[in-house]
Amino acid sequence: MGATGTNTETFVELIRRASTELPADVAEALEEGRKGEEDGGLAGIALNTILENVKLARDISAPICQDTGTPVVWIHHPVGVSTRALKTEFETAVREATKRKFLRPNAVNTLTGSNTGDGAGRGIPFVHFEEWDEPRIEVRMILKGGGSENVGTQYKLPDTKLGAGRDLEGVRRAVLDAVFQGQGKGCAPGVLGVCVGGDRVSAFEHSKRQLLRPLKDTNPVPELAELEDRLLREGNELGIGPMGFGGKTTLLGVKIGVLDRLPACYFVTVTYMCWADRKAGVSIDERGEVTWLS
Amino acid sequence: MAELKLPVSEETVRKLKVGDFVELTGRMITGRDAAHTWLMKEYREDVAPFMKDSVIYHCGPVVSANDDGSYDFVAAGPTTSIREEPYQADVIGRYGLRGVIGKGGMGAKTLAGLAEHGAVYLHAVGGAAQVLARAIPRVERVFMLEEFGVPEALWVIEVDRFPVMVTMDSHGGSLHDQVEEHSQAKLRELLGFSV
């Protein structure tokens, strides 16, 4: 792994990649959506603009979206690594990336309303650490925009109005309602990260972690795999479309994870990720060698 | 597609209908959350001429400051408009705006304000920060930069063929209402509720 103080530049590059280069799986899903929409309709125009924007951002290495979001980061590390040092390095990288315009100064003092000006603040970036047996450090990050974050929501089941009980059919009903409530406001077509179970702390984190999964992967739990496919299909049938203009492309993916719960609680937690589904990863081995992850 | 020059007359704006795709050229101003409360707290004489017969863009850009004191927009897509719902209709009326650019649409109060004052809601493609920044060749000046910070400041900008869709017009039409109604019917069907 890189010695303390040597990872900052790698983290800046990680942020640059996330902010300016949309992952291939997301770009492909947008292309597929484009093919399904009528030429000249608002949905088609919106997707054309999005695809043009994705290319332009990559070509000139500038942010895909001006809301460069909250960096939400998961770091796996070997025994004996200082997580405090890694966190400091990541915060330094956020400030540097903000200076280089890969990030917008995006941290606002909630009490005074003033912007910290350098991209970092209390709780921003949000970094999770987990120790593992491997000798390398693996960093995975999403940039989570604010507009779509406002669309995220949490249901507690049972929900009488939705006819949603404490089972996967109840989960289905809650998630479909979340897609309807969100309309185009989270910059559709979006990706849903869903957590079933957990509590009000763990569930939102776990729902965001689902966004690291490739869009085309298959959930190892068969009934969840089936539910993911069904929700993707039914979510698109709602006809909300890109930007909420109406159309066939409302969702690009649905990813569901599960946590255990207390007997009294059954939460369905939905994180809405905009079409600018920015994620990036890097592995740093014990010699400091850097490998970029797709 | 139609090209629309700013400033624009009420007569021209009233011809626009939901579903129209237009490209804007001319001068406009950005303003989001802090700006809207500030614009309503008292009448801002110095900013008013940049709003009359023009449009306000709900945008918190990434901006680079040049050595000569000028600025460039590096990334400049729309932000969610509904947060300005409590103020927007009044801001339109008070400053004589002919339009609002944002994303996600707005509510009943704004829709009524558009009809009353002769203005439209123009939807830019959310997240398309580079395509839209490219349509902003020049930053003319900025208000409240120190106080509000870069994303919340009011930036006076020149736009060149800036692409937007009319999703709320001055005749009570709202694409957002239509899509919501349609998707609600579909949701009820999927949940097995009587439609």
Side-chain angles (χ1 to χ4, degrees):
Chain A
M1 94 213 82
T4 303
T6 62
N7 296 310
T8 301
E9 201 52 42
T10 303
F11 293 162
V12 173
E13 172 61 11
L14 181 75
I15 293 166
R16 187 198 68 78
R17 284 173 181 243
S19 180
T20 68
E21 300 178 2
L22 195 72
D25 60 338
V26 184
E28 279 163 24
L30 288 165
E31 291 275 5
E32 276 173 38
R34 172 66 193 89
K35 284 179 202 150
E37 303 288 356
E38 281 169 40
D39 284 331
L42 290 187
I45 293 174
L47 283 170
N48 277 340
T49 305
I50 286 168
L51 287 163
E52 187 190 346
N53 189 73
V54 167
K55 183 177 182 309
L56 190 57
R58 182 183 290 266
D59 288 351
I60 65 174
S61 193
I64 296 165
C65 177
Q66 78 291 335
D67 180 2
T68 54
T70 304
V72 184
V73 189
W74 291 266
I75 300 181
H76 282 86
H77 60 87
V79 183
V81 164
S82 166
T83 56
R84 188 174 48 175
L86 279 175
K87 190 169 180 219
T88 302
E89 284 182 318
F90 205 93
E91 285 167 354
T92 306
V94 165
R95 292 190 177 94
E96 183 57 32
T98 306
K99 217 178 279 175
R100 295 190 208 170
K101 312 295 177 197
F102 302 135
L103 297 179
R104 182 175 71 180
N106 233 11
V108 176
N109 182 310
T110 304
L111 295 181
T112 66
S114 66
N115 194 306
T116 67
D118 66 4
R122 286 171 289 185
I124 304 175
F126 202 70
V127 189
H128 306 256
F129 290 98
E130 266 174 60
E131 189 178 293
W132 65 0
D133 289 330
E134 295 193 36
R136 64 194 179 89
I137 296 172
E138 185 177 294
V139 184
R140 293 202 177 258
M141 179 184 67
I142 59 171
L143 292 176
K144 186 62 186 68
S148 63
E149 192 66 358
N150 283 334
V151 172
T153 185
Q154 190 169 54
Y155 295 82
K156 54 181 163 60
L157 303 189
D159 184 309
T160 313
K161 215 173 137 200
L162 292 172
R166 293 182 151 195
D167 52 23
L168 289 185
E169 170 58 15
V171 173
R172 170 183 164 263
R173 300 172 88 84
V175 172
L176 282 176
D177 184 66
V179 177
F180 165 72
Q181 298 293 344
Q183 291 291 305
K185 293 182 179 69
C187 279
V191 180
L192 302 185
V194 179
C195 174
V196 181
D199 64 19
R200 290 196 195 267
V201 176
S202 60
F204 270 108
E205 189 270 328
H206 200 64
S207 71
K208 290 205 164 55
R209 199 181 282 240
Q210 304 311 309
L211 297 172
L212 297 175
R213 289 170 48 194
L215 287 181
K216 294 273 182 200
D217 76 349
T218 302
N219 196 309
V221 182
E223 57 264 48
L224 294 182
E226 196 182 318
L227 183 58
E228 288 177 357
D229 287 348
R230 184 172 179 190
L231 281 169
L232 178 59
R233 191 180 67 244
E234 292 183 336
N236 283 326
E237 284 174 18
L238 291 177
I240 292 162
M243 293 299 133
F245 292 164
K248 294 173 184 154
T249 321
T250 303
L251 296 176
L252 301 175
V254 179
K255 301 292 163 190
I256 307 174
V258 175
L259 291 176
D260 292 336
R261 60 182 178 83
L262 295 181
C265 300
Y266 196 118
F267 292 112
V268 179
T269 305
V270 181
T271 288
Y272 192 104
M273 185 64 155
C274 55
W275 67 257
D277 179 11
R278 291 154 289 177
K279 49 189 179 177
V282 66
S283 173
I284 306 167
D285 74 11
E286 57 269 50
R287 296 181 310 281
E289 288 289 317
V290 167
T291 307
W292 299 103
L293 307 171
S294 62
Chain B
M1 75 197 70
E3 191 175 354
L4 204 66
K5 300 261 190 212
L6 300 173
V8 65
S9 69
E10 177 175 354
E11 189 193 353
T12 303
V13 162
R14 289 223 182 252
K15 286 181 192 151
L16 294 173
K17 299 272 159 50
V18 163
D20 287 347
F21 176 59
V22 293
E23 295 188 321
L24 306 174
T25 296
R27 188 171 71 188
M28 63 192 199
I29 192 165
T30 72
R32 46 183 292 173
D33 309 71
H36 279 74
T37 42
W38 179 77
L39 287 166
M40 282 316 294
K41 204 169 172 193
E42 53 187 270
Y43 185 75
R44 308 292 177 178
E45 298 243 5
D46 47 350
V47 176
F50 299 99
M51 299 176 70
K52 176 82 182 141
D53 290 327
S54 187
V55 301
I56 193 165
Y57 180 24
H58 298 157
C59 172
V62 179
V63 180
S64 76
N66 303 317
D67 293 338
D68 64 1
S70 67
Y71 298 97
D72 285 315
F73 274 22
V74 175
T79 190
T80 305
S81 299
I82 195 68
R83 294 191 304 269
E84 317 318 335
E85 181 65 11
Y87 323 105
Q88 196 66 71
D90 299 328
V91 170
I92 290 169
R94 179 184 271 195
Y95 292 92
L97 284 168
R98 291 285 160 233
V100 175
I101 305 172
K103 73 176 174 83
M106 301 190 74
K109 186 179 173 193
T110 301
L111 192 60
L114 298 177
E116 183 186 346
H117 303 295
V120 284
Y121 180 82
L122 303 163
H123 202 302
V125 173
Q130 291 310 319
V131 167
L132 296 170
R134 203 174 42 175
I136 306 172
R138 204 166 81 84
V139 178
E140 196 174 312
R141 60 180 296 181
V142 58
F143 293 96
M144 300 301 282
L145 178 59
E146 284 302 309
E147 295 83 348
F148 293 162
V150 169
E152 298 269 359
L154 295 90
W155 299 88
V156 179
I157 53 177
E158 251 178 46
V159 296
D160 181 21
R161 286 176 298 149
F162 188 95
V164 288
M165 288 80 162
V166 179
T167 59
M168 295 166 66
D169 61 28
S170 62
H171 309 283
S174 167
L175 179 65
H176 307 285
D177 288 351
Q178 292 167 23
V179 171
E180 184 167 336
E181 202 176 309
H182 177 265
S183 57
Q184 185 159 37
K186 187 69 199 173
L187 177 71
R188 292 183 66 81
E189 185 188 318
L190 287 169
L191 298 187
F193 296 146
S194 55
V195 181

